[in-house]
Amino acid sequence: MVTPQTLGEILEGRGVSRRAFLKYSSYLSALMALPPSMAPAMAQGLAAARRQSVIWLSFQECTGCTESITRSMSPTLESLIFDTISLDYHHTLQAASGEAAEHAREKAMADNKGKYVVVVDGSVPLKDGGLYSTIAGVSNLKMLQDTCKDALAVISVGTCAAFGGIPKANPNPTGAVGIDEIIKDKPVINIPGCPPIPEAMTGSVAYLVAFGKIPELDHLKRPKAFFGDSIHDRCYRRPYYERGEFAEGFDDDGARKGYCLYKVGCKGPVTYNACATLKWNGGVSFPIQSGHGCLGCSEPDFWDQGGFYRPLSTSMPGMGMALAGAAAVGAALGVGAALTARKHQQAYIREQAAKGDEK
Amino acid sequence: MTLLDFARGPALQAALVIFIIGALWRFIGALLLPWRLVPAQPREGSPGTVSAWLKGMAVKMWPHEPFAKHGAFQFINGYIFHVGLAIVVFLFVPHILFIQGLTGLSWPGLPNSFVTVIGVVTAASLVAALLHRLRSPVLQLISRVDDYISWLLTFLPVLTGLLATAHLGARYETMLALHILSICVFLIWFPFGKLMHAFLFAFSRGMTGVRLGQRGAEL
């Protein structure tokens, strides 16, 4: 049996210089918010690692997450696939189809038992036995459970895989759930977003390969390196918020001047993601820079937060009838209380008058 | 459902329903009572109703001369946290947006950083009011549980709002949820405790002025 080459050997064979490799490792370290001293460790870890077998499962999703990762600038998807990982199964990117594709998945699982990483995009429908989404006649639930059985770790990319996402939006007709509601016995990393930032996906995979462990996660199992700060705290429009300068609409003077978008529904204050720092398309821009408020797409149930264009501080919609009813009840109670009090007063006055007459 | 979803949704709705029912019950119930309980005719030369009402309001704005020295702190501090609360509640842009979402009414706000400073002053003033109450033998005698509950339920929204703004204590969304929940408790308590003075003070002071005026008392 031939021992698989390490990444260092593969890169050396391709003529990648040590200097270029160290530069690449430093970038990855910075991406993951690791201290500079960790860059050599990252380089050492990557150089000594074998190419990581990755099985990518796509369930109830729109392929936006794959579209996003193909636009990863550094590391590019190509460098990730050719240098760092062995992408053994991916619906959209693989050449094989049908039984050949399924065999590739099964072979990767058998060859790398206990060592392969499962990446999932899309939620899993549980309602009615999971019949709302099947692949090769197998329900998403069964395929997920079978594939994750011998996995090293699971990475849920996109909000659908992480939290159920849009398929889970009210009224959730398919009973969609996120991956970590099903897989309880393996480490799960959530990289939410609709879609996620490409570097958050590739960076997390690279970290896993380099260090053989999952990065530090927050309470929603998101890597803190990418999801540690809120959009609001890192937003370049934050000074306008502090000064009370807001866009009132998307075409008014405030919008043209680049004022804060809080009033038009920006969810930046309660959304944790790296959009404001890493940005998109190689650091070109991000939604707020393009003039639209943050939708909060990396947070659970972002679709059901009362409306994208309602300011965060407003209450959830649909209270009007309840409050009008309350006003009617309160007014009726007030009138009733006053009438009762008047009745008692009149009785008291009559009583006092009668006592006076008796005297 | 997250804590913030619960706070912005069912909790806030239930609190507003209780607040509206309770406040209208007490307010309308009080306003529809007979305005002239004393059947006696007003004394000759007594001020008119409107004049006595306004005087009754004005005279309570500052302590009477004999009490000016001892009452000055209480009055000045009272003004500080009342004006502070008014600024924080009604001139902080996210609060205006909240009110606009419920009523459709809107008005210009102040810069958030300025409101934050006012919030700190208000919180300090509220703490001073509590300390004064705890140290004053007279206030001790007339203080009831209602006074302390009303103080606490006023202070908590200010405190949680400042902590949310400063990102202290918990993650922003958690502190925002606690801030909204503290307002929910405040709203529920409001109609049934002394906080209702916010609606009734003008009427109680005005009516006191009218009654004293009709009896010929100097206002």
Side-chain angles (χ1 to χ4, degrees), chain A residues 115-140:
Chain A
K115 295 175 186 169
Y116 60 89
V117 171
V118 178
V119 178
V120 186
D121 66 334
S123 62
V124 176
L126 297 183
K127 199 174 172 185
D128 300 328
L131 60 81
Y132 296 103
S133 182
T134 61
I135 298 163
V138 179
S139 73
N140 290 170

PDB file of all heavy atoms in Angstrom, chain A residues 115-140:
ATOM      1  N   LYS A 115     -11.918   9.225   9.674  1.00  0.00           N
ATOM      2  CA  LYS A 115     -10.999  10.342   9.381  1.00  0.00           C
ATOM      3  C   LYS A 115     -11.590  11.371   8.429  1.00  0.00           C
ATOM      4  O   LYS A 115     -11.037  12.461   8.285  1.00  0.00           O
ATOM      5  CB  LYS A 115      -9.711   9.799   8.752  1.00  0.00           C
ATOM      6  CG  LYS A 115      -8.901   8.912   9.684  1.00  0.00           C
ATOM      7  CD  LYS A 115      -7.715   8.344   8.916  1.00  0.00           C
ATOM      8  CE  LYS A 115      -6.957   7.323   9.768  1.00  0.00           C
ATOM      9  NZ  LYS A 115      -5.981   6.571   8.953  1.00  0.00           N
ATOM     10  N   TYR A 116     -12.647  11.024   7.744  1.00  0.00           N
ATOM     11  CA  TYR A 116     -13.166  11.962   6.735  1.00  0.00           C
ATOM     12  C   TYR A 116     -14.078  13.015   7.397  1.00  0.00           C
ATOM     13  O   TYR A 116     -14.638  12.811   8.472  1.00  0.00           O
ATOM     14  CB  TYR A 116     -13.919  11.227   5.623  1.00  0.00           C
ATOM     15  CG  TYR A 116     -15.125  10.427   6.061  1.00  0.00           C
ATOM     16  CD1 TYR A 116     -16.387  11.002   6.125  1.00  0.00           C
ATOM     17  CD2 TYR A 116     -14.997   9.074   6.407  1.00  0.00           C
ATOM     18  CE1 TYR A 116     -17.486  10.255   6.525  1.00  0.00           C
ATOM     19  CE2 TYR A 116     -16.080   8.323   6.806  1.00  0.00           C
ATOM     20  CZ  TYR A 116     -17.336   8.925   6.867  1.00  0.00           C
ATOM     21  OH  TYR A 116     -18.425   8.194   7.271  1.00  0.00           O
ATOM     22  N   VAL A 117     -14.181  14.132   6.699  1.00  0.00           N
ATOM     23  CA  VAL A 117     -15.031  15.234   7.172  1.00  0.00           C
ATOM     24  C   VAL A 117     -16.269  15.308   6.284  1.00  0.00           C
ATOM     25  O   VAL A 117     -16.171  15.213   5.065  1.00  0.00           O
ATOM     26  CB  VAL A 117     -14.260  16.572   7.107  1.00  0.00           C
ATOM     27  CG1 VAL A 117     -15.187  17.753   7.375  1.00  0.00           C
ATOM     28  CG2 VAL A 117     -13.117  16.564   8.114  1.00  0.00           C
ATOM     29  N   VAL A 118     -17.420  15.442   6.921  1.00  0.00           N
ATOM     30  CA  VAL A 118     -18.663  15.597   6.157  1.00  0.00           C
ATOM     31  C   VAL A 118     -19.054  17.068   6.174  1.00  0.00           C
ATOM     32  O   VAL A 118     -19.167  17.672   7.241  1.00  0.00           O
ATOM     33  CB  VAL A 118     -19.802  14.755   6.769  1.00  0.00           C
ATOM     34  CG1 VAL A 118     -21.101  14.970   5.985  1.00  0.00           C
ATOM     35  CG2 VAL A 118     -19.426  13.281   6.777  1.00  0.00           C
ATOM     36  N   VAL A 119     -19.190  17.625   4.983  1.00  0.00           N
ATOM     37  CA  VAL A 119     -19.695  18.993   4.858  1.00  0.00           C
ATOM     38  C   VAL A 119     -21.132  18.891   4.358  1.00  0.00           C
ATOM     39  O   VAL A 119     -21.416  18.158   3.419  1.00  0.00           O
ATOM     40  CB  VAL A 119     -18.841  19.825   3.875  1.00  0.00           C
ATOM     41  CG1 VAL A 119     -19.424  21.225   3.722  1.00  0.00           C
ATOM     42  CG2 VAL A 119     -17.402  19.901   4.347  1.00  0.00           C
ATOM     43  N   VAL A 120     -22.018  19.593   5.020  1.00  0.00           N
ATOM     44  CA  VAL A 120     -23.432  19.536   4.629  1.00  0.00           C
ATOM     45  C   VAL A 120     -23.921  20.930   4.306  1.00  0.00           C
ATOM     46  O   VAL A 120     -23.667  21.878   5.063  1.00  0.00           O
ATOM     47  CB  VAL A 120     -24.303  18.955   5.763  1.00  0.00           C
ATOM     48  CG1 VAL A 120     -25.744  18.770   5.273  1.00  0.00           C
ATOM     49  CG2 VAL A 120     -23.747  17.640   6.267  1.00  0.00           C
ATOM     50  N   ASP A 121     -24.594  21.075   3.177  1.00  0.00           N
ATOM     51  CA  ASP A 121     -25.373  22.298   2.971  1.00  0.00           C
ATOM     52  C   ASP A 121     -26.820  21.890   2.749  1.00  0.00           C
ATOM     53  O   ASP A 121     -27.116  20.876   2.127  1.00  0.00           O
ATOM     54  CB  ASP A 121     -24.815  23.176   1.843  1.00  0.00           C
ATOM     55  CG  ASP A 121     -24.917  22.559   0.467  1.00  0.00           C
ATOM     56  OD1 ASP A 121     -24.955  21.327   0.386  1.00  0.00           O
ATOM     57  OD2 ASP A 121     -24.939  23.302  -0.530  1.00  0.00           O
ATOM     58  N   GLY A 122     -27.719  22.662   3.328  1.00  0.00           N
ATOM     59  CA  GLY A 122     -29.137  22.330   3.237  1.00  0.00           C
ATOM     60  C   GLY A 122     -29.651  21.691   4.507  1.00  0.00           C
ATOM     61  O   GLY A 122     -28.916  21.034   5.241  1.00  0.00           O
ATOM     62  N   SER A 123     -30.927  21.904   4.752  1.00  0.00           N
ATOM     63  CA  SER A 123     -31.557  21.329   5.943  1.00  0.00           C
ATOM     64  C   SER A 123     -32.083  19.935   5.627  1.00  0.00           C
ATOM     65  O   SER A 123     -32.130  19.512   4.470  1.00  0.00           O
ATOM     66  CB  SER A 123     -32.706  22.223   6.399  1.00  0.00           C
ATOM     67  OG  SER A 123     -33.684  22.281   5.377  1.00  0.00           O
ATOM     68  N   VAL A 124     -32.481  19.248   6.678  1.00  0.00           N
ATOM     69  CA  VAL A 124     -32.996  17.885   6.508  1.00  0.00           C
ATOM     70  C   VAL A 124     -34.474  17.859   6.892  1.00  0.00           C
ATOM     71  O   VAL A 124     -34.826  18.271   8.007  1.00  0.00           O
ATOM     72  CB  VAL A 124     -32.202  16.902   7.407  1.00  0.00           C
ATOM     73  CG1 VAL A 124     -32.799  15.502   7.317  1.00  0.00           C
ATOM     74  CG2 VAL A 124     -30.743  16.885   6.999  1.00  0.00           C
ATOM     75  N   PRO A 125     -35.340  17.411   5.975  1.00  0.00           N
ATOM     76  CA  PRO A 125     -36.758  17.332   6.321  1.00  0.00           C
ATOM     77  C   PRO A 125     -37.051  16.079   7.145  1.00  0.00           C
ATOM     78  O   PRO A 125     -36.609  14.985   6.794  1.00  0.00           O
ATOM     79  CB  PRO A 125     -37.446  17.261   4.955  1.00  0.00           C
ATOM     80  CG  PRO A 125     -36.446  16.594   4.076  1.00  0.00           C
ATOM     81  CD  PRO A 125     -35.087  16.964   4.594  1.00  0.00           C
ATOM     82  N   LEU A 126     -37.783  16.249   8.221  1.00  0.00           N
ATOM     83  CA  LEU A 126     -38.118  15.098   9.077  1.00  0.00           C
ATOM     84  C   LEU A 126     -39.584  14.677   8.949  1.00  0.00           C
ATOM     85  O   LEU A 126     -39.940  13.560   9.292  1.00  0.00           O
ATOM     86  CB  LEU A 126     -37.819  15.438  10.543  1.00  0.00           C
ATOM     87  CG  LEU A 126     -36.362  15.737  10.903  1.00  0.00           C
ATOM     88  CD1 LEU A 126     -36.233  15.985  12.397  1.00  0.00           C
ATOM     89  CD2 LEU A 126     -35.428  14.613  10.470  1.00  0.00           C
ATOM     90  N   LYS A 127     -40.405  15.599   8.449  1.00  0.00           N
ATOM     91  CA  LYS A 127     -41.843  15.313   8.408  1.00  0.00           C
ATOM     92  C   LYS A 127     -42.145  14.182   7.421  1.00  0.00           C
ATOM     93  O   LYS A 127     -41.489  14.072   6.380  1.00  0.00           O
ATOM     94  CB  LYS A 127     -42.585  16.587   7.989  1.00  0.00           C
ATOM     95  CG  LYS A 127     -44.046  16.602   8.334  1.00  0.00           C
ATOM     96  CD  LYS A 127     -44.623  17.973   8.001  1.00  0.00           C
ATOM     97  CE  LYS A 127     -46.128  17.958   8.159  1.00  0.00           C
ATOM     98  NZ  LYS A 127     -46.697  19.239   7.726  1.00  0.00           N
ATOM     99  N   ASP A 128     -43.130  13.397   7.751  1.00  0.00           N
ATOM    100  CA  ASP A 128     -43.597  12.304   6.892  1.00  0.00           C
ATOM    101  C   ASP A 128     -42.462  11.372   6.474  1.00  0.00           C
ATOM    102  O   ASP A 128     -42.347  10.973   5.300  1.00  0.00           O
ATOM    103  CB  ASP A 128     -44.311  12.855   5.642  1.00  0.00           C
ATOM    104  CG  ASP A 128     -45.530  13.694   6.014  1.00  0.00           C
ATOM    105  OD1 ASP A 128     -46.161  13.377   7.036  1.00  0.00           O
ATOM    106  OD2 ASP A 128     -45.832  14.657   5.305  1.00  0.00           O
ATOM    107  N   GLY A 129     -41.622  11.057   7.403  1.00  0.00           N
ATOM    108  CA  GLY A 129     -40.536  10.125   7.134  1.00  0.00           C
ATOM    109  C   GLY A 129     -39.444  10.685   6.250  1.00  0.00           C
ATOM    110  O   GLY A 129     -38.617   9.935   5.715  1.00  0.00           O
ATOM    111  N   GLY A 130     -39.415  11.997   6.112  1.00  0.00           N
ATOM    112  CA  GLY A 130     -38.342  12.615   5.337  1.00  0.00           C
ATOM    113  C   GLY A 130     -38.496  12.477   3.844  1.00  0.00           C
ATOM    114  O   GLY A 130     -37.527  12.663   3.089  1.00  0.00           O
ATOM    115  N   LEU A 131     -39.714  12.229   3.369  1.00  0.00           N
ATOM    116  CA  LEU A 131     -39.894  11.953   1.935  1.00  0.00           C
ATOM    117  C   LEU A 131     -39.769  13.202   1.054  1.00  0.00           C
ATOM    118  O   LEU A 131     -39.735  13.091  -0.167  1.00  0.00           O
ATOM    119  CB  LEU A 131     -41.235  11.257   1.682  1.00  0.00           C
ATOM    120  CG  LEU A 131     -42.528  11.987   2.083  1.00  0.00           C
ATOM    121  CD1 LEU A 131     -42.959  12.999   1.054  1.00  0.00           C
ATOM    122  CD2 LEU A 131     -43.647  10.961   2.284  1.00  0.00           C
ATOM    123  N   TYR A 132     -39.695  14.384   1.675  1.00  0.00           N
ATOM    124  CA  TYR A 132     -39.674  15.611   0.867  1.00  0.00           C
ATOM    125  C   TYR A 132     -38.342  15.862   0.187  1.00  0.00           C
ATOM    126  O   TYR A 132     -38.227  16.752  -0.658  1.00  0.00           O
ATOM    127  CB  TYR A 132     -40.070  16.810   1.726  1.00  0.00           C
ATOM    128  CG  TYR A 132     -41.489  16.697   2.228  1.00  0.00           C
ATOM    129  CD1 TYR A 132     -41.765  16.333   3.537  1.00  0.00           C
ATOM    130  CD2 TYR A 132     -42.552  16.898   1.358  1.00  0.00           C
ATOM    131  CE1 TYR A 132     -43.065  16.195   3.986  1.00  0.00           C
ATOM    132  CE2 TYR A 132     -43.863  16.760   1.793  1.00  0.00           C
ATOM    133  CZ  TYR A 132     -44.115  16.400   3.109  1.00  0.00           C
ATOM    134  OH  TYR A 132     -45.410  16.256   3.531  1.00  0.00           O
ATOM    135  N   SER A 133     -37.326  15.120   0.554  1.00  0.00           N
ATOM    136  CA  SER A 133     -36.043  15.288  -0.143  1.00  0.00           C
ATOM    137  C   SER A 133     -35.275  13.965  -0.101  1.00  0.00           C
ATOM    138  O   SER A 133     -34.930  13.480   0.980  1.00  0.00           O
ATOM    139  CB  SER A 133     -35.212  16.394   0.515  1.00  0.00           C
ATOM    140  OG  SER A 133     -34.011  16.584  -0.196  1.00  0.00           O
ATOM    141  N   THR A 134     -35.051  13.411  -1.278  1.00  0.00           N
ATOM    142  CA  THR A 134     -34.315  12.139  -1.363  1.00  0.00           C
ATOM    143  C   THR A 134     -33.240  12.244  -2.426  1.00  0.00           C
ATOM    144  O   THR A 134     -33.347  13.042  -3.366  1.00  0.00           O
ATOM    145  CB  THR A 134     -35.247  10.964  -1.715  1.00  0.00           C
ATOM    146  OG1 THR A 134     -35.843  11.213  -2.995  1.00  0.00           O
ATOM    147  CG2 THR A 134     -36.334  10.776  -0.673  1.00  0.00           C
ATOM    148  N   ILE A 135     -32.198  11.445  -2.267  1.00  0.00           N
ATOM    149  CA  ILE A 135     -31.115  11.363  -3.256  1.00  0.00           C
ATOM    150  C   ILE A 135     -30.897   9.889  -3.563  1.00  0.00           C
ATOM    151  O   ILE A 135     -30.681   9.103  -2.628  1.00  0.00           O
ATOM    152  CB  ILE A 135     -29.814  11.994  -2.716  1.00  0.00           C
ATOM    153  CG1 ILE A 135     -30.022  13.492  -2.433  1.00  0.00           C
ATOM    154  CG2 ILE A 135     -28.656  11.797  -3.693  1.00  0.00           C
ATOM    155  CD1 ILE A 135     -28.969  14.096  -1.557  1.00  0.00           C
ATOM    156  N   ALA A 136     -30.960   9.545  -4.812  1.00  0.00           N
ATOM    157  CA  ALA A 136     -30.809   8.145  -5.234  1.00  0.00           C
ATOM    158  C   ALA A 136     -31.755   7.238  -4.450  1.00  0.00           C
ATOM    159  O   ALA A 136     -31.393   6.133  -4.049  1.00  0.00           O
ATOM    160  CB  ALA A 136     -29.351   7.692  -5.055  1.00  0.00           C
ATOM    161  N   GLY A 137     -32.950   7.769  -4.161  1.00  0.00           N
ATOM    162  CA  GLY A 137     -33.964   6.983  -3.458  1.00  0.00           C
ATOM    163  C   GLY A 137     -33.756   6.898  -1.967  1.00  0.00           C
ATOM    164  O   GLY A 137     -34.506   6.212  -1.272  1.00  0.00           O
ATOM    165  N   VAL A 138     -32.749   7.577  -1.473  1.00  0.00           N
ATOM    166  CA  VAL A 138     -32.453   7.525  -0.032  1.00  0.00           C
ATOM    167  C   VAL A 138     -32.831   8.874   0.580  1.00  0.00           C
ATOM    168  O   VAL A 138     -32.483   9.927   0.033  1.00  0.00           O
ATOM    169  CB  VAL A 138     -30.950   7.253   0.205  1.00  0.00           C
ATOM    170  CG1 VAL A 138     -30.634   7.233   1.702  1.00  0.00           C
ATOM    171  CG2 VAL A 138     -30.546   5.946  -0.460  1.00  0.00           C
ATOM    172  N   SER A 139     -33.534   8.824   1.704  1.00  0.00           N
ATOM    173  CA  SER A 139     -33.926  10.094   2.336  1.00  0.00           C
ATOM    174  C   SER A 139     -32.682  10.817   2.855  1.00  0.00           C
ATOM    175  O   SER A 139     -31.670  10.188   3.183  1.00  0.00           O
ATOM    176  CB  SER A 139     -34.891   9.840   3.492  1.00  0.00           C
ATOM    177  OG  SER A 139     -34.198   9.292   4.590  1.00  0.00           O
ATOM    178  N   ASN A 140     -32.780  12.146   2.929  1.00  0.00           N
ATOM    179  CA  ASN A 140     -31.664  12.950   3.433  1.00  0.00           C
ATOM    180  C   ASN A 140     -31.284  12.515   4.847  1.00  0.00           C
ATOM    181  O   ASN A 140     -30.102  12.465   5.200  1.00  0.00           O
ATOM    182  CB  ASN A 140     -32.039  14.434   3.465  1.00  0.00           C
ATOM    183  CG  ASN A 140     -32.176  15.044   2.080  1.00  0.00           C
ATOM    184  OD1 ASN A 140     -32.637  16.160   1.922  1.00  0.00           O
ATOM    185  ND2 ASN A 140     -31.784  14.287   1.047  1.00  0.00           N
TER     186      ASN A 140
END
